[in-house]
Amino acid sequence: KRIIIYRDGVADNQFKEVLEKEYPAIMLAFDELGYPEGQYGLAIIVCQKRHNTRLFYNMNGEYTNVCVGLCVGGGSIVSKQFNEFYLNSHLAVLGTSKPCKYTLIYDSIGLRLAEMELLTFWMTHLYCRCTRSVSYATPAYYAHWAAKRGSCLLKAGCRPDELQTLCEQWMNDANGGMYFI
């Protein structure tokens, strides 16, 4: 009934393009699968790591990383146009931790900011290669690896139609259930 898409690799000036090009394609795909608009709620959340915002605090004259799970929303560092927040979901092993910025660009579900923050923080704990939380939401992480795999296959000489066949085979092997590549 509710579908939440975590989208990575989108700059601030590309939000409109995502809504104009990708959103209709998503709606068409759901319609082709037999889920017409109105049968589900959809939210699109953009994850951004390419920014210059750092969160830290001064403790007895020394700058220290903020704790894992700290969310910063509202105030002067987030947009007044979008529902967005910064989440420091991971422990910095070296240097200053870099929070991920999350922006809700489409919402037919009616997500509250606190719900979005908590769900997103939980999602950072689902990455199978790590026993701790990772720097951004796991679905976006897995999509990144799937795109990288596709790019490597294309660079290695795989034709787009062969890549389509591989994707269809993977989808059939998943038996229609949820899976990660």
Side-chain angles (χ1 to χ4, degrees):
K1 295 207 174 209
R2 293 177 186 92
I3 300 163
I4 300 173
I5 297 172
Y6 283 91
R7 176 69 165 84
D8 187 21
V10 180
D12 286 342
N13 62 351
Q14 295 175 314
F15 291 166
K16 185 177 178 187
E17 186 177 344
V18 169
L19 292 174
E20 289 174 353
K21 293 182 179 176
E22 293 181 21
Y23 172 74
I26 291 166
M27 299 306 286
L28 179 63
F30 286 139
D31 193 46
E32 288 177 0
L33 291 170
Y35 300 102
E37 192 172 357
Q39 283 192 349
Y40 56 89
L42 177 68
I44 301 174
I45 302 171
V46 174
C47 317
Q48 294 175 309
K49 291 285 288 182
R50 293 178 185 247
H51 58 75
N52 294 318
T53 304
R54 303 293 183 271
L55 303 175
F56 54 89
Y57 65 96
N58 189 338
M59 185 168 150
N60 300 329
E62 284 193 32
Y63 291 107
T64 307
N65 281 321
V66 295
C67 63
V68 172
L70 178 75
C71 271
V72 177
S76 61
I77 70 168
V78 293
S79 167
K80 300 203 184 316
Q81 181 182 4
F82 294 104
N83 208 2
E84 67 183 16
F85 63 95
Y86 287 87
L87 172 62
N88 184 59
S89 59
H90 65 293
L91 180 66
V93 179
L94 183 65
T96 306
S97 61
K98 186 175 185 180
C100 186
K101 180 175 132 183
Y102 294 92
T103 307
L104 181 66
I105 62 169
Y106 181 82
D107 181 21
S108 65
I109 297 172
L111 284 174
R112 291 187 292 248
L113 184 61
E115 294 171 331
M116 193 168 67
E117 290 170 348
L118 186 59
L119 176 66
T120 301
F121 182 57
W122 287 343
M123 288 293 218
T124 64
H125 289 80
L126 299 177
Y127 192 65
C128 71
R129 293 182 177 181
C130 189
T131 58
R132 297 179 180 189
S133 58
V134 291
S135 61
Y136 61 101
T138 301
Y141 230 125
Y142 287 143
H144 168 79
W145 288 117
K148 186 172 179 112
R149 176 180 283 178
S151 175
C152 288
L153 287 171
L154 287 172
K155 285 179 185 173
C158 183
R159 294 189 323 269
D161 60 319
E162 292 173 329
L163 191 56
Q164 179 66 35
T165 303
L166 280 172
C167 289
E168 289 169 2
Q169 288 173 348
W170 289 334
M171 289 295 289
N172 290 335
D173 290 344
N175 295 322
M178 186 173 176
Y179 69 97
F180 297 107
I181 297 175

